[in-house]
Amino acid sequence: MRRTPTILHLDMDAFFASVEQASKPSLRGKAVIVGGLGPRGVVATCSYEARVFGVHSAMPMAQARRLAPNAAYLVPRFGLYRSISEQVMALLRALSPLVEPLSLDEAFVDLEAGGAAWDPESARLAGIKLRADIREVTGLTGSVGLAASKMLAKIASEQAKPDGLVLIEPGTERALLAPMPVRTLPGVGPATGDHLRRAGITTVEELAEAGEDELVRLLGKAHGHALYAMALAHDDRPVVAERETKSVSVEDTYDVDIHDRVRVELEVQRLADRCVRRLRGAGLSGRTIVLKVRRYDFSTLTRSETLRGPTDDPAVVREAAARLLDSVDTTGGVRLLGVGVSGLADYTQEDLFAQAAGELRDEIPEEHPEEGDREDTEGHGERRWPAGHDVRHARYGHGWVQGSGVGRVTVRFETPWSEAAGRVRTFRTEDPELEPVEPLPLTGAGAGGAPGVGEERRPGGGESGGRLDGAPGALRG
């Protein structure tokens, strides 16, 4: 592992929700929850104001509504999120040729490879400038972690949230990690954390003290070796520049093992739908359907089926995933499920429908995408108006949908640079003067950054010389 803290991890703060707040003045400082609003919807992201009510990502939307009934519930605008992500990634690539995106709002950067940093001070200054540049270009905030490895940089950025910077000084890594819960380490989810807790291991220090042999006995060879190395702050993984996408997949880890076979089947169908939405969002199709199942005993099984040609049809993917599940015994319980598509192409073989189970395919329920993935179409005599999406009225100008139903749509008329919350008006859903439009840019006339951009902050309400969790070596900016 290198000795200089020149690996940077950027994590945009509550990205989807922050974009919505930045574009909607009436929602700034308020609880905002973004996700699927249908009966099977889940929270994609929520603002920090919503998190105080206990709402978090991946939570069922119905539960979120019970916890925060007065929050603003919005359908994702993925096109806007992608465009802002591209702006952020361009800033990262200006720092170094080695940028490893993890998602739309998260990435590693090797600052040393780009000559942007060579010691702790230059790394800290690069991080401060990056955060200021992101604020200037997008109007949003991001948290930065700087360390000598990817694992530690990611831990540092988590400690920096929201809107901060943490640098882990070389030589202080073990002391910083020691008191942290085992769940801090990558790869330790709820199930592994519970397994370790039952063995009396709750902190990273206890993980290191248990020894490699004991961890291998508890977790298996690969997982045991990896966790022991991480507990000693060892992580030699390089930052890998963005590669061509080779697969698209989604997976969920469950806090409580699923034993009900019907529930397992429904989860696989839901994951297949999510996977197809991601596939379509990237403009891709694929030939090989992959099912991943991690069982109660931590054993992980993968099953795959290769079709005659590439597809992005949800029914075909759902049916293939269901066939693969038929070959897996889940009676002991399931901890994790995943569905993926590989063998990607940028076209779809339309006659692949013949691979579905003939007449049975007609019985597969109609696809239910997240509302944010649907375009406004003529359906049942009424246009759809997803909550949070942009509209324009011939007389009142630009606005966004607050809600719709029973033949009415409510719109708040404001822009990202409006000085105050806009007026609210209600129209018939078929009003010819109302139409969906593309989002406006977040920055423009009247859109200013928050004070203190680029200023270094210290933990403890601005006091200097602060430390994180009482551990040495973590400097917050």
Side-chain angles (χ1 to χ4, degrees):
M1 186 176 74
R2 71 180 70 194
R3 299 300 300 168
T4 53
T6 53
I7 299 296
L8 180 148
H9 181 258
L10 170 71
D11 196 351
M12 299 295 290
D13 299 321
F15 184 51
F16 295 174
S18 293
V19 170
E20 298 300 341
Q21 288 178 318
S23 66
K24 300 172 172 65
S26 58
L27 298 184
R28 293 170 191 168
K30 297 182 180 179
V32 174
I33 299 172
V34 180
L37 305 189
R40 295 187 299 166
V42 297
V43 176
T45 311
C46 60
S47 67
Y48 287 97
E49 295 86 356
R51 296 180 191 189
V52 301
F53 297 103
V55 181
H56 58 77
S57 59
M59 171 181 285
M61 191 61 76
Q63 182 180 357
R65 288 186 183 276
R66 290 193 294 269
L67 293 172
N70 296 320
Y73 289 85
L74 307 176
V75 172
R77 296 185 292 168
F78 289 112
L80 177 60
Y81 306 152
R82 290 190 192 98
S83 67
I84 296 171
S85 174
E86 289 169 1
Q87 293 177 306
V88 173
M89 295 301 165
L91 292 173
L92 298 183
R93 293 187 182 97
L95 289 173
S96 172
L98 292 184
V99 175
E100 182 178 343
L102 304 179
S103 62
L104 289 177
D105 61 341
E106 187 179 1
F108 287 111
V109 184
D110 188 331
L111 296 175
E112 190 173 17
W118 50 91
D119 62 10
E121 182 61 16
S122 59
R124 184 181 66 84
L125 292 174
I128 290 174
K129 183 178 186 302
L130 173 65
R131 292 178 54 236
D133 289 345
I134 289 172
R135 179 77 71 98
E136 180 180 359
V137 171
T138 70
L140 304 176
T141 65
S143 295
V144 166
L146 291 156
S149 71
K150 290 168 71 172
M151 176 190 75
L152 291 166
K154 186 171 175 63
I155 289 173
S157 70
E158 187 63 30
Q159 297 289 341
K161 282 188 166 294
D163 191 19
L165 181 152
V166 166
L167 182 148
I168 300 177
E169 292 280 0
T172 66
E173 296 92 349
R174 290 283 301 276
L176 178 71
L177 285 175
M180 293 184 174
V182 294
R183 288 287 304 276
T184 303
L185 299 180
V188 182
T192 302
D194 287 344
H195 195 58
L196 291 170
R197 180 180 52 78
R198 289 193 292 269
I201 300 172
T202 59
T203 67
V204 176
E205 183 176 28
E206 291 168 345
L207 202 62
E209 290 174 348
E212 189 169 16
D213 291 343
E214 176 65 7
L215 294 181
V216 168
R217 186 187 69 81
L218 287 171
L219 303 173
K221 187 174 181 180
H223 206 182
H225 284 313
L227 275 190
Y228 182 68
M230 287 189 287
L232 300 180
H234 295 162
D235 179 19
D236 295 325
R237 295 173 300 158
V239 175
V240 179
E242 186 174 16
R243 296 170 175 169
E244 182 180 356
T245 302
K246 295 184 178 179
S247 65
V248 173
S249 63
V250 296
E251 62 181 43
D252 278 343
T253 301
Y254 305 99
D255 291 338
V256 179
D257 291 357
I258 302 176
H259 294 272
D260 181 2
R261 180 71 178 193
V262 174
R263 167 82 188 284
V264 172
E265 292 170 351
L266 289 173
E267 288 293 313
V268 168
Q269 298 296 290
R270 183 177 62 82
L271 288 166
D273 286 346
R274 281 175 53 196
C275 184
V276 168
R277 288 197 296 275
R278 185 170 294 183
L279 194 70
R280 287 180 167 181
L284 298 170
S285 59
R287 295 184 63 227
T288 301
I289 315 302
V290 180
L291 175 72
K292 178 179 178 181
V293 180
R294 180 166 297 149
R295 300 190 292 190
Y296 69 99
D297 59 356
F298 293 93
S299 61
T300 302
L301 305 176
T302 57
R303 300 285 185 268
S304 64
E305 175 181 323
T306 299
L307 308 174
R308 287 185 296 145
T311 185
D312 67 350
D313 183 79
V316 173
V317 176
R318 280 198 301 262
E319 188 172 345
R323 286 196 298 271
L324 294 170
L325 181 62
D326 288 341
S327 66
V328 178
D329 180 9
T330 62
T331 53
V334 170
R335 294 177 178 273
L336 175 147
L337 289 169
V339 174
V341 177
S342 60
L344 301 182
D346 57 2
Y347 66 94
T348 302
Q349 184 171 313
E350 297 297 342
D351 65 358
L352 188 66
F353 296 154
Q355 294 184 92
E359 296 177 0
L360 290 177
R361 185 170 173 274
D362 295 333
E363 301 174 9
I364 298 174
E366 180 184 357
E367 181 194 16
H368 294 287
E370 300 286 287
E371 292 181 39
D373 293 338
R374 295 187 299 203
E375 297 180 358
D376 293 320
T377 59
E378 297 293 334
H380 306 290
E382 186 175 292
R383 288 188 291 176
R384 301 184 192 276
W385 301 99
H389 282 223
D390 298 79
V391 295
R392 182 172 184 82
H393 193 276
R395 282 181 289 168
Y396 302 112
H398 190 96
W400 58 276
V401 176
Q402 284 203 160
S404 64
V406 294
R408 296 288 185 270
V409 55
T410 300
V411 177
R412 184 179 290 274
F413 290 96
E414 59 186 4
T415 70
W417 43 88
S418 296
E419 294 184 359
R423 294 284 302 273
V424 175
R425 297 182 182 274
T426 299
F427 308 92
R428 291 182 299 107
T429 55
E430 297 306 307
D431 190 322
E433 294 187 306
L434 188 67
E435 62 177 350
V437 294
E438 292 298 313
L440 296 173
L442 298 187
T443 56
V453 173
E455 293 180 1
E456 184 174 4
R457 290 198 291 108
R458 301 286 185 178
E463 298 176 4
S464 63
R467 304 287 187 182
L468 275 177
D469 298 326
L475 301 180
R476 182 171 177 138

